Amino acid sequence: MWKGRFAQETSSLVQQYGESVSYDWRLFPHDVAGSIAHARAQHHAGLLSEEEFTAIERGLREIESDIRDGKFEFKTSLEDIHMNIEAELTRRIGPAGAKLHTARSRNDQVATDTRLYCRDAIDSLTTAIAALQAALLDRAETHAATIIPGYTHLQRGQPVTAGHHFLAYVEMLERDKSRLADCRRRLNISPLGSGALAGSTINLDRPAIAAELGFDGVSTNSMDAIADRDYIAELLFATALCGAHLSRLSEDLILWCSAEFGFATLSDAHTTGSSLMPQKKNPDVCEITRGKTGRLTGNLVNLLVALKGLPLTYNRDLQEDKPPLFDSVDTLSLVLAVNTEMIASLELNGDACRNAASDPMLLATDLADHLVKCGVPFRSAHDLVGKAVAESIRTKTPLDQLDLPEIDPAFDAAAKDVFSLDRALAARTNPGSPSVENVRSEIRRWKAAL
Ligand code: ARG
């Protein structure tokens, strides 16, 4: 494709080193769509006859279906998907194929294809995230009133419901979707027409090409359009953070499924056994999710490091953008699918949950709040309850069985009434708090939203 000024063949080692078709072949539907839009604009500009345009369009469609059917032979000597398709088109239809690359470079071509790929990837990831949200929502509904301890520092803090806990992940995933939507909005601009870096002396109708490809507009600086890979970095960040959310969910479930917690049971279909210890039922899916999150984060770092030293505009380093991109999209898609299935069959042991939450220490804050309602300043109330806690530990007497007024007269006879788990939860009615009523209304809101 560039042989004009060269006297020697490219070394076969360099071909092996420089080829990208072994992975960028996946851009083929986008490459074909971009080429057809580009050819149509050439036709409208009088650069291609009606017959030439028709031959190009038909040839590209045939190549696309051959690739889809696995009947296309990719050549690493032709480096990438762009040159593989163009060379095959010219082989099939003759001279018209050789006109296709007029007013275009592989630099604006690859930028276009990659944006189109990212757009599709965002749409399918968004659907997959919504499916996981629906599975979590279903679990939240089943367990809207299942009381569990809420933790900070992995120490029991205050009572919440499992429904509230599941809905926390629905919230995180909603932000993940909005980050993807934001990325999609910013990336949906057509770079075609930017040429190698400085546009072209042949003016094609850029807005028409953009509209045909579903872009919202055209890029406004040819150099930036060629050098820009922000949209990939943004997508890799969104996938890494979504992975981090699911990794945290995994960690919760790993703890919940341990004998020490005993809160949850994963289905046999979503756990594995041990080849040595017959009793084992391991939460491997959760662990693999946690592990894959390292990979998602690594892919983001991989791209950012590749970008940081690059002068404008295109540098061949940029070809290294696609392996991490494809890997993160594939990885997160699989993570979402398997987690959706696993969550759908997750069961909670309500008794174990309630038992753990029944530790009266979890209501120490409520006891301090009770003193506040009797007029005691919070700092003093905190201190008084702290003394009661120390007394409970020292005498090995549960907090709710101490003679509180004896510890300090600030505690009235009604102080004991604080130690009702159900009442404590029911009192948490402010928006965002975990009363069962609030959780149910949040579930209704999410159901309507999803
Ligand atoms: N395979 C290349 C890539 O992915 C396409 C662009 C090649 N451009 C060039 N000037 N060599 O980046």
Side-chain angles (χ1 to χ4, degrees):
M1 293 276 176
W2 58 71
K3 61 184 183 323
R5 65 102 73 211
F6 289 84
Q8 275 185 314
E9 283 294 316
T10 313
S11 127
S12 68
L13 198 53
V14 170
Q15 283 185 24
Q16 192 191 324
Y17 197 52
E19 70 82 22
S20 56
V21 71
S22 56
Y23 53 88
D24 68 15
W25 68 270
R26 294 173 56 160
L27 295 174
F28 76 89
H30 313 298
D31 201 72
V32 165
S35 287
I36 290 173
H38 181 72
R40 195 186 316 278
Q42 287 181 326
H43 172 45
H44 290 149
L47 294 163
L48 289 178
S49 69
E50 179 80 42
E51 299 72 56
E52 285 173 322
F53 170 64
T54 310
I56 287 175
E57 185 176 27
R58 190 180 316 121
L60 287 170
R61 288 289 174 219
E62 282 168 14
I63 289 172
E64 182 182 18
S65 77
D66 285 354
I67 296 177
R68 199 157 266 141
D69 297 344
K71 292 194 297 214
F72 189 91
E73 198 202 322
F74 293 108
K75 298 195 179 83
T76 50
S77 58
L78 288 167
E79 233 178 77
D80 55 26
I81 184 62
H82 324 294
M83 296 213 287
N84 267 272
I85 290 180
E86 191 194 326
E88 178 61 13
L89 178 70
T90 306
R91 195 191 66 78
R92 290 187 189 189
I93 70 167
K99 292 187 176 181
L100 177 61
H101 213 52
T102 310
R104 184 177 77 173
S105 156
R106 274 186 297 153
N107 295 353
D108 54 353
Q109 195 178 356
V110 73
T112 303
D113 294 4
T114 310
R115 281 176 189 256
L116 292 173
Y117 167 83
C118 288
R119 203 172 68 185
D120 279 4
I122 286 172
D123 292 346
S124 76
L125 287 173
T126 302
T127 305
I129 293 174
L132 177 54
Q133 283 180 304
L136 286 161
L137 196 54
D138 176 72
R139 296 296 74 203
E141 192 167 27
T142 304
H143 295 289
T146 304
I147 303 181
I148 57 168
Y151 296 80
T152 62
H153 314 270
L154 198 55
Q155 306 290 313
R156 287 175 185 167
Q158 294 179 308
V160 293
T161 64
H164 199 56
H165 194 116
F166 287 128
L167 288 181
Y169 285 100
V170 176
E171 297 273 352
M172 291 177 227
L173 292 170
E174 190 65 16
R175 289 197 295 276
D176 290 328
K177 286 195 314 194
S178 100
R179 256 181 291 276
L180 288 173
D182 190 37
C183 170
R184 190 190 198 283
R185 188 176 52 73
R186 233 185 325 277
L187 74 69
N188 204 27
I189 290 296
S190 174
L192 266 186
S194 301
L197 81 156
S200 172
T201 58
I202 298 165
N203 286 334
L204 299 181
D205 187 346
R206 295 192 65 206
I209 297 173
E212 176 168 344
L213 295 172
F215 285 119
D216 296 325
V218 299
S219 57
T220 45
N221 182 302
S222 63
M223 296 179 79
D224 178 48
I226 293 310
D228 180 21
R229 294 294 182 274
D230 291 5
Y231 52 99
I232 305 182
E234 289 185 22
L235 178 50
L236 291 181
F237 173 70
T239 54
L241 188 54
C242 183
H245 291 149
L246 300 181
S247 185
R248 297 182 76 168
L249 172 62
S250 299
E251 184 58 24
D252 277 338
L253 296 179
I254 290 167
L255 290 168
W256 286 10
C257 290
S258 67
E260 284 70 14
F261 276 73
F263 292 0
T265 313
L266 293 165
S267 81
D268 284 1
H270 300 94
T271 44
T272 59
S274 158
S275 56
L276 191 136
M277 298 168 280
Q279 85 285 10
K280 290 300 289 292
K281 179 169 171 178
N282 297 327
D284 289 28
V285 168
C286 301
E287 293 167 312
I288 294 169
T289 301
R290 219 170 40 181
K292 285 194 187 293
T293 300
R295 187 163 147 184
L296 293 170
T297 308
N299 286 338
L300 169 65
V301 174
N302 177 341
L303 180 71
L304 290 175
V305 174
L307 290 179
K308 75 172 275 295
L310 301 187
L312 291 185
T313 51
Y314 183 82
N315 299 272
R316 193 62 180 277
D317 320 40
L318 289 176
Q319 181 167 294
E320 292 291 320
D321 59 359
K322 281 172 281 302
L325 170 62
F326 294 153
D327 185 63
S328 280
V329 171
D330 293 347
T331 299
L332 187 62
S333 302
L334 193 56
V335 164
L336 288 164
V338 73
N339 275 279
T340 301
E341 218 187 75
M342 184 185 73
I343 293 294
S345 59
L346 176 72
E347 280 178 13
L348 296 192
N349 178 350
D351 291 343
C353 292
R354 195 179 169 97
N355 221 10
S358 298
D359 176 355
M361 290 290 199
L362 269 72
L363 297 176
T365 313
D366 293 50
L367 187 57
D369 288 350
H370 173 78
L371 290 178
V372 167
K373 286 173 195 158
C374 299
V376 181
F378 182 75
R379 280 292 152 224
S380 315
H382 186 286
D383 196 52
L384 289 173
V385 176
K387 289 204 167 78
V389 167
E391 185 65 6
S392 152
I393 294 168
R394 194 182 64 80
T395 61
K396 297 196 171 69
T397 313
L399 193 59
D400 58 343
Q401 280 161 40
L402 290 176
D403 185 348
L404 292 170
E406 181 162 298
I407 292 172
D408 195 287
F411 290 109
D412 60 0
K416 260 193 153 55
D417 298 344
V418 155
F419 294 104
S420 153
L421 204 47
D422 295 304
R423 189 141 17 98
L425 206 60
R428 290 174 155 77
T429 54
N430 227 13
S433 289
S435 72
V436 175
E437 206 179 309
N438 271 7
V439 169
R440 291 204 200 285
S441 104
E442 278 299 288
I443 289 168
R444 281 193 297 278
R445 179 176 73 80
W446 278 116
K447 276 194 164 171
L450 291 171

